[in-house]
Amino acid sequence: MGDDRGRERPSDPAADATPDGRRRAGRRDRAVRAAVEQGLLGPGAPLVALLDVAGIRESVAGLRAAFDAVVAPGTPVLHAFAVKATPLVPVLRLLHAEGVGAEVASPGELALARAAGVPPRRTVLDSPAKTPDELREALALGIAVNADNPQELDRVDALLRSAPSRSPFGIRINPQVGAGAIEALSTATATSKFGVALRDEGARDWLVRACRDRPWLTRLHTHTGSQGVPLPLMARGVAETYALAEEINRTLGRRQIDTVDIGGGLPVNFASDVTTPTFAQYARLLRETVPGLFDGRYGLVTEFGRALLAEQGTILARVEYTKSAGGRPVAVTHAGVQVATRTVYAPGSWPLRIAAYDAEGRPKQGPLLVQDVAGPACFAGDLLASGHALPRLEQGDFAAALDTGAYYFAHHYGYNSLARPAVHGFAPGASGSVVFATVREAQTLAEIVAESGGAHTDALTTGFTSERR
Ligand SMILES: *Cc1c(COP(=O)(O)O)cnc(C)c1O
C-alpha cells in the first residue's frame, strides 16, 4: 500500500473549466452532498444517477441561440432531440417544454416521445429498418419520416396510394465523406449502412428521378457526425447534402426540397468541464461552409443527442471495498459495465472522468494516487477507470462518473442481473438547498425476475407436455 505514483499528476476535475463548466461542477458538488444528506445515496442505495435540470435548460438555450444567430429571420427550425441518447420520458417532457422535439428510431422511442407529449409535428422518424406497420403508424400520425433507401420509398408509395398523409417526407443521404476516430460510430464512410450512398454510380441521377416522381419528397436528411468525427468533416457532409438539394431543385425547375435535416453528432469533451466544441462554433462553421443553407430558402431540422445531455448526467457509486493488487490500489464500487458499457468494453475510445467524494458527499482532498475504479460485475475487465490519479478512495466514499447523461445510465446492460439504478433530477431549491425529483425508480428484484421469464418458470420442464395434452 502507500503507492503514490500519481502524486505529481494534475487531475483536479474542475481545475480546467470555463465559467459555465465551473458553475456546472459547483451544482454537481452541491447535488452529491444533498443526495447523501437526503438519503438518496448511501449504504442501502449504493448506485444512483443524477441529472442537472438547470444544465439541461442551459444546454438547450445554447443550441437554440446558436442556430438563431445564423439563420435568416423567419427560417423554420426544428430541434429534435435524438431520443436514443437519453430515452427517459421526463427528460423528453422537459426538452419539449423547452421547445425541443424528438427524433425517434424505433417503436419504443416513438412510444416514449408520445408518452412525453411531444406532438407529431415536432417528431421525426429515422430508423434504418422501419416495418410496414411502423410506417403506417407514422403516416397516420403525420410525423416526419426520413426514408433510408429505395425499397423504403416503394413502401411509402404504396401506403400513400391507400391513404393520404400529412407527414413531411425526406430521404437520408450518406455523403460518404469519411470516418472519424471511432469506426463503429462513423456514419458517413463509403460503405456505411445508412441512407443512399451519394457517390455510388448512378445515385445522384436516381435521387433526382425519385424526387421528380414524388412531389411529396421535400426533405434531405444526413447525419454525418458522432463522437470522434471532426467538425469540418461534419460540415462537409452537410455541404454535400445542400449541393444535392440545389441540384434537385434546379433540375426539376421547382423548389421541391424545402428542408434539410442536418442530423446530430456534435462530439462532447469528456476530459474536463470545458464544453468544446460548442453548438455556436458548429453553427458558425456551418454558415461559413454552406452559406446558402442559411439564407432563408431552406427550413432546418437538427437531431442532437449526446451534446445536449452528456454533461448534465452523473453516476454515483459507493465504494464497497478497497484493496491492492500487484501494487495497484483498487476501489470496488457499484458502477461498472451495467451503466458504463462502452467505457468498460472500449476504454480507449470512451474514457470517463472520475471524481472522488467522501462518505458525506464532499469532494475528496488529499494527495493523488494512481488507482483503479472497478465495477461490481464478475469479469476482470469491469473497470470504470484504470490507473486514474485521484485522492485515495476509501470504503464508504463515492466515485462519480462524470458526463454520463447520454448513452450511459439510460442504456442499462443486464450483466449479472444488476438492477437499473434510480435516476433523479436535481434543481436549486430555496436558500441554496438542492431539491430532487424521481425520473426513474430503481429496478426492483421482482422486476428483474419478471423480465427474466419469472412468469414461465416451468416452460422448459413441463411446459411442452402440458401443451400436448
Ligand atoms: C444517433 C443519431 C443522432 C444523434 O447523435 P448524437 O451523436 O447523439 O448527437 C441523430 N440522428 C440520427 C439519425 C442518429 O442515428
Side-chain angles (χ1 to χ4, degrees):
M1 301 283 229
D3 183 330
D4 58 2
R5 281 173 294 178
R7 232 173 245 250
E8 58 290 308
R9 290 211 357 216
S11 92
D12 175 0
D16 177 21
T18 47
D20 274 2
R22 209 165 289 130
R23 276 194 295 277
R24 191 164 62 237
R27 288 196 299 269
R28 186 169 66 219
D29 286 348
R30 286 191 293 281
V32 174
R33 178 99 173 98
V36 175
E37 281 174 351
Q38 298 179 31
L40 296 178
L41 184 65
L47 178 67
V48 299
L50 301 183
L51 276 171
D52 177 354
V53 170
I56 295 175
R57 289 205 167 99
E58 264 177 24
S59 165
V60 170
L63 168 64
R64 296 180 56 157
F67 280 86
D68 287 352
V70 297
V71 298
T75 302
V77 180
L78 169 64
H79 296 297
F81 175 64
V83 170
K84 77 167 181 283
T86 312
L88 296 167
V89 174
V91 169
L92 304 182
R93 174 67 138 219
L94 170 62
L95 292 172
H96 170 49
E98 298 294 308
V100 171
E103 184 266 349
V104 299
S106 71
E109 289 181 358
L110 176 57
L112 297 182
R114 295 184 72 190
V118 181
R121 71 194 148 73
R122 308 192 66 83
T123 305
V124 180
L125 174 65
D126 275 348
S127 130
K130 307 173 196 80
T131 64
D133 282 350
E134 283 174 66
L135 285 169
R136 198 172 295 113
E137 187 191 12
L139 269 57
L141 290 169
I143 68 182
V145 175
N146 288 317
D148 183 81
N149 58 66
Q151 292 179 351
E152 192 178 340
L153 270 190
D154 291 344
R155 279 190 178 170
V156 174
D157 283 339
L159 288 168
L160 286 177
R161 275 195 294 274
S162 60
S165 168
R166 281 173 292 123
S167 292
F169 290 95
I171 184 144
R172 180 161 179 174
I173 306 304
N174 169 10
Q176 292 166 299
V177 291
I182 307 175
E183 184 65 29
L185 293 198
S186 296
T187 49
T189 59
T191 56
S192 160
K193 72 173 181 180
F194 294 113
V196 176
L198 191 54
R199 295 183 189 180
D200 282 12
E201 204 181 326
R204 293 187 90 89
D205 291 343
W206 179 83
L207 281 158
V208 172
R209 278 198 312 278
C211 290
R212 192 186 53 217
D213 298 345
R214 296 173 181 84
W216 42 265
L217 197 52
T218 56
R219 296 182 168 191
L220 294 182
H221 172 221
T222 189
H223 169 64
T224 34
S226 214
Q227 192 66 23
V229 176
L231 290 198
L233 194 63
M234 292 172 62
R236 262 183 53 212
V238 174
E240 297 282 340
T241 308
Y242 165 78
L244 176 66
E246 292 282 280
E247 180 182 333
I248 291 169
N249 288 346
R250 205 169 43 240
T251 310
L252 302 185
R254 55 180 189 245
R255 300 215 51 80
Q256 180 167 328
I257 302 295
D258 61 15
T259 300
V260 176
D261 180 337
I262 65 169
L266 195 70
V268 163
N269 170 23
F270 285 95
S272 74
D273 279 312
V274 177
T275 302
T276 178
T278 61
F279 288 120
Q281 285 163 340
Y282 183 42
R284 282 195 297 268
L285 176 67
L286 282 175
R287 194 179 50 185
E288 281 163 27
T289 315
V290 207
L293 185 57
F294 295 90
D295 63 12
R297 292 173 303 138
Y298 291 93
L300 285 178
V301 178
T302 75
E303 306 172 342
F304 295 101
R306 180 177 289 109
L308 275 171
L309 258 293
E311 291 173 332
Q312 325 310 333
T314 305
I315 295 169
L316 287 160
R318 191 162 188 270
V319 177
E320 198 66 52
Y321 301 110
T322 56
K323 59 210 279 190
S324 169
R328 172 75 61 88
V330 183
V332 181
T333 79
H334 289 273
V337 74
Q338 87 278 34
V339 285
T341 315
R342 278 183 170 158
T343 295
V344 168
Y345 285 135
S349 296
W350 299 101
L352 284 174
R353 269 187 309 154
I354 307 293
Y357 295 92
D358 68 17
E360 272 75 54
R362 287 178 298 238
K364 279 207 101 165
Q365 312 295 339
L368 301 178
L369 174 73
V370 172
Q371 51 199 307
D372 285 358
V373 183
C378 298
F379 68 99
D382 188 31
L383 297 174
L384 203 53
S386 175
H388 275 219
L390 296 167
R392 176 191 285 280
L393 285 166
E394 291 158 305
Q395 221 177 355
D397 287 348
F398 297 99
L402 309 185
D403 307 320
T404 47
Y407 303 101
Y408 278 95
F409 53 72
H411 291 64
H412 191 82
Y413 173 55
Y415 201 95
N416 273 148
S417 300
L418 289 159
R420 281 191 287 270
V423 179
H424 303 283
F426 66 85
S431 60
S433 69
V434 178
V435 288
F436 293 96
T438 303
V439 171
R440 178 184 77 189
E441 312 272 2
Q443 192 181 26
T444 64
L445 298 184
E447 285 165 349
I448 292 177
V449 173
E451 288 173 27
S452 307
H456 309 282
T457 310
D458 290 320
L460 304 180
T461 47
T462 56
F464 302 111
T465 49
S466 65
E467 193 193 354
R468 218 180 295 137
R469 256 185 249 129

